[in-house]
Amino acid sequence: SEIKLEELAGVGPATAEKLKEAGFNTVEAVAVASPSELANTAEIGESTAAKIINAARQAADIGGFETGDLVLERRKLVGKLTTGCVEFDEMMGGGIETQSITELYGEFGSGKTQVAHQLAVNVQMDREHGGLDGSVIIIDTENTFRPERITQMVKGLSEKYGMELDPEEFLQNIHVARAYNSNHQILLVDSATDLANELKEMGKPVRLLIVDSLMAHFRAEYVGRGTLADRQQKLNKHMHGLLRFGDLFNACVVVTNQVMAKPDAFFGDPTRPVGGHVVGHTATFRLYLRKSKGEKRIIRLVDSPSLPEGEAVVAVTTAGLTD
Ligand code: ADP
Ligand code: MG
């Protein structure tokens, strides 16, 4: 933004200097920091840090207000996309919601990409079959999109419903872009918005945006001391871009995420998703995927604004995601 750090209430030239030295170069960087992060790195008190963050949030115009009736009006349009699995759908209160970010996190091979592929198929079905009559945009950062897999899943659905579905047609409604680095990944959300506007006019509204995987580039590019503030600021911009897309097009936004070892875990699961509090706070639904016996996978709803925590068992088979 054009606003300088020095113009924020509570930030004098000395504090501004300390913030910049710690890597908080812009108002946005401060706005998405946590008070303790800022206090530690810039050597200021936590309450001062909290005040500065508030001022930065207002200046950066994030966390703006909206009246409840407008929120309700928008919520009435929320669609639910079936996962194709009874337990999984029930746990989600009917399915994956539009206008929200749903995060799938878990270890390598836990089935995140498989679930994403299945949703890319299901969303194209009509409402009677749990779909949203929509098309799909995929931002693929790890080169794991496989059209062959889509074909198998469409055949699976054909069998399930006793319908003749054409895999070719399904593939034509999936728009895939490779992201080569984190900046490119962020820019692709803008391109996705342009494309979604075109598709809307063509009567093929985008009801699902997938980012698989969300953090791979960010983790690879931002290593070492002093890079956290910059990374979290970029990530925050990206997450809000995704949220905006979901609201604008009444679309589901599904992101996959990696896990890292929790060094301080004495009990419970020793892993947690990466991306820190920026991802934690902007993902509406957090789902933890775990391998079980053979093709079985356990999916745990970890965090949701209105649903109880729960677990669902699904299977990853050649025909797709099943009970
Ligand atoms: P990640 O969480 O790393 O994205 P994936 O979604 O790629 O994991 O899951 C990979 C797993 O999915 C494989 O180990 C295999 O168990 C299963 N899988 C992938 N393709 C098929 C297939 N065609 N038929 C049955 N299972 C498959
Ligand atoms: Mg994957």
Side-chain angles (χ1 to χ4, degrees):
S1 83
E2 298 79 53
I3 305 156
K4 293 199 173 72
L5 285 177
E6 291 85 343
E7 294 171 45
L8 294 176
V11 181
T15 307
E17 208 41 53
K18 279 185 198 163
L19 290 172
K20 284 176 194 164
E21 271 167 26
F24 296 94
N25 288 307
T26 63
V27 171
E28 280 82 8
V30 174
V32 303
S34 72
S36 62
E37 255 171 39
L38 205 64
N40 288 334
T41 44
E43 297 165 328
I44 51 178
E46 275 214 25
S47 69
T48 309
K51 275 180 203 151
I52 293 174
I53 289 167
N54 262 335
R57 282 184 182 166
Q58 277 173 16
D61 195 25
I62 61 174
F65 294 101
E66 199 176 18
T67 53
D69 55 332
L70 283 183
V71 177
L72 182 65
E73 240 1 86
R74 191 153 40 77
R75 291 285 307 165
K76 278 184 192 156
L77 298 174
V78 166
K80 304 220 175 179
L81 166 60
T82 187
T83 64
C85 307
V86 176
E87 261 189 13
F88 191 2
D89 277 355
E90 274 174 9
M91 178 174 75
M92 298 303 293
I96 307 292
E97 279 193 3
T98 63
Q99 301 179 28
S100 287
I101 297 179
T102 301
E103 175 192 6
L104 306 166
Y105 72 90
E107 275 169 14
F108 178 76
S110 59
K112 305 179 292 291
T113 297
Q114 298 302 311
V115 174
H117 276 69
Q118 186 69 59
L119 294 173
V121 172
N122 294 355
V123 75
Q124 300 188 42
M125 299 296 284
D126 57 26
R127 310 235 168 198
E128 247 177 85
H129 294 90
L132 298 170
D133 290 308
S135 49
V136 187
I137 296 180
I138 301 180
I139 297 175
D140 184 6
T141 73
E142 294 183 316
N143 195 22
T144 52
F145 174 73
R146 292 292 176 274
E148 301 84 354
R149 199 62 188 113
I150 297 294
T151 301
Q152 290 175 340
M153 289 174 170
V154 173
K155 286 183 181 155
L157 276 197
S158 295
E159 294 246 322
K160 180 176 175 178
Y161 294 123
M163 297 165 87
E164 268 195 45
L165 303 168
D166 179 9
E168 192 69 24
E169 264 178 50
F170 279 74
L171 285 168
Q172 281 164 4
N173 292 322
I174 302 176
H175 306 264
V176 189
R178 286 280 309 279
Y180 293 101
N181 55 53
S182 66
N183 279 324
H184 185 215
Q185 182 178 333
I186 294 171
L187 287 174
L188 280 175
V189 181
D190 295 336
S191 318
T193 305
D194 294 340
L195 176 59
N197 275 319
E198 276 172 40
L199 290 167
K200 194 176 173 180
E201 297 223 333
M202 291 164 60
K204 302 232 171 219
V206 174
R207 296 285 182 231
L208 174 62
L209 172 63
I210 293 168
V211 184
D212 186 14
S213 113
L214 177 71
M215 290 298 298
H217 286 315
F218 284 95
R219 277 186 100 183
E221 291 164 26
Y222 293 89
V223 283
R225 286 191 63 196
T227 63
L228 180 72
D230 195 23
R231 187 192 87 169
Q232 291 308 84
Q233 180 193 351
K234 284 239 173 77
L235 192 54
N236 185 66
K237 186 180 165 211
H238 186 41
M239 294 300 286
H240 281 87
L242 294 173
L243 262 184
R244 206 173 313 118
F245 185 98
D247 283 353
L248 203 56
F249 296 104
N250 193 21
C252 304
V253 180
V254 172
V255 304
T256 69
N257 196 4
Q258 305 160 324
V259 290
M260 64 190 254
K262 225 176 350 193
D264 51 352
F266 290 107
F267 55 88
D269 205 282
T271 56
R272 67 158 171 243
V274 301
H277 81 291
V278 164
V279 175
H281 288 166
T282 36
T284 323
F285 300 95
R286 308 196 91 179
L287 293 165
Y288 179 31
L289 277 66
R290 254 156 43 232
K291 269 188 175 169
S292 182
K293 267 210 180 110
E295 55 193 21
K296 296 274 180 214
R297 298 290 188 279
I298 300 166
I299 303 184
R300 177 164 191 82
L301 177 62
V302 175
D303 202 359
S304 134
S306 55
L307 295 168
E309 288 203 5
E311 274 188 356
V313 181
V314 302
V316 177
T317 71
T318 301
L321 203 65
T322 60
D323 284 307

